[in-house]
Amino acid sequence: QVQLVESGGGLVQAGDSLRLSCTASLSTLSVYAVGWFRQAPGKERESVAAISRNAGNRYYSDSVKGRFTISRDNAKNAVDLQMNSLKPGDTAVYYCAATQPLSDTLLFSRSHNYAYWGQGTQVTVSS
C-alpha cells in the first residue's frame, strides 16, 4: 500500500513552467510504476505521462510531448512532472497514480491500471 500526495500546482501565465511532485508515504515509490493524469472541468480524466519502475521507459500524451518531462527522484521518494511552455489548455487538476507492475519496464497510460491515487493539485494557466 502507498499513499500519494501531489504538490507544486498553482496559477501561472502561458509560457511559464511548473514542477509537480508526487511524494509517497507508507512505501517506497521506486517499486511502483507511476503515472500523471489530469482532469479539466467538464472533461474526462486523461493520461499525461507515465514512467516505468526502472525509469527506463516513459510515455507522454501527444498534447504534452516535448513540453513535459516525467522523472524519478528516489532520494525524495517522489516522481516529478516538469511542465514547460504551459498553455491555457493545460489547466486542470493533476493527479498522480501508482501501481505495482509485473516487470521493471512496464508502464501504463490508462487509469484503470492504477491502484493508488493522490488527491490532486490544481494547475491554472492564464492567457
Side-chain angles (χ1 to χ4, degrees):
Q1 185 177 356
V2 63
Q3 288 185 348
L4 305 173
V5 177
E6 302 92 340
S7 62
L11 171 62
V12 296
Q13 294 186 330
D16 285 351
S17 298
L18 276 177
R19 189 174 186 90
L20 305 184
S21 285
C22 173
T23 305
S25 60
L26 303 183
S27 186
T28 301
L29 198 54
S30 61
V31 304
Y32 294 86
V34 176
W36 280 96
F37 293 78
R38 67 186 182 186
Q39 188 166 20
K43 295 187 178 181
E44 293 186 355
R45 187 173 296 185
E46 63 171 341
S47 176
V48 173
I51 190 166
S52 60
R53 186 163 62 193
N54 67 357
N57 291 325
R58 304 177 194 204
Y59 159 83
Y60 299 97
S61 67
D62 287 344
S63 61
V64 307
K65 198 173 295 182
R67 299 188 297 122
F68 290 13
T69 302
I70 189 171
S71 61
R72 290 189 176 273
D73 188 337
N74 291 336
K76 294 193 318 181
N77 201 24
V79 170
D80 294 340
L81 185 68
Q82 177 67 40
M83 306 188 296
N84 297 330
S85 302
L86 283 162
K87 304 175 182 179
D90 295 319
T91 295
V93 178
Y94 283 71
Y95 301 88
C96 69
T99 194
Q100 287 193 298
L102 295 178
S103 80
D104 288 346
T105 59
L106 285 176
L107 53 75
F108 307 96
S109 63
R110 298 190 176 186
S111 59
H112 72 263
N113 290 121
Y114 288 93
Y116 306 102
W117 290 82
Q119 83 291 346
T121 185
Q122 176 71 47
V123 172
T124 304
V125 184
S126 64
S127 58

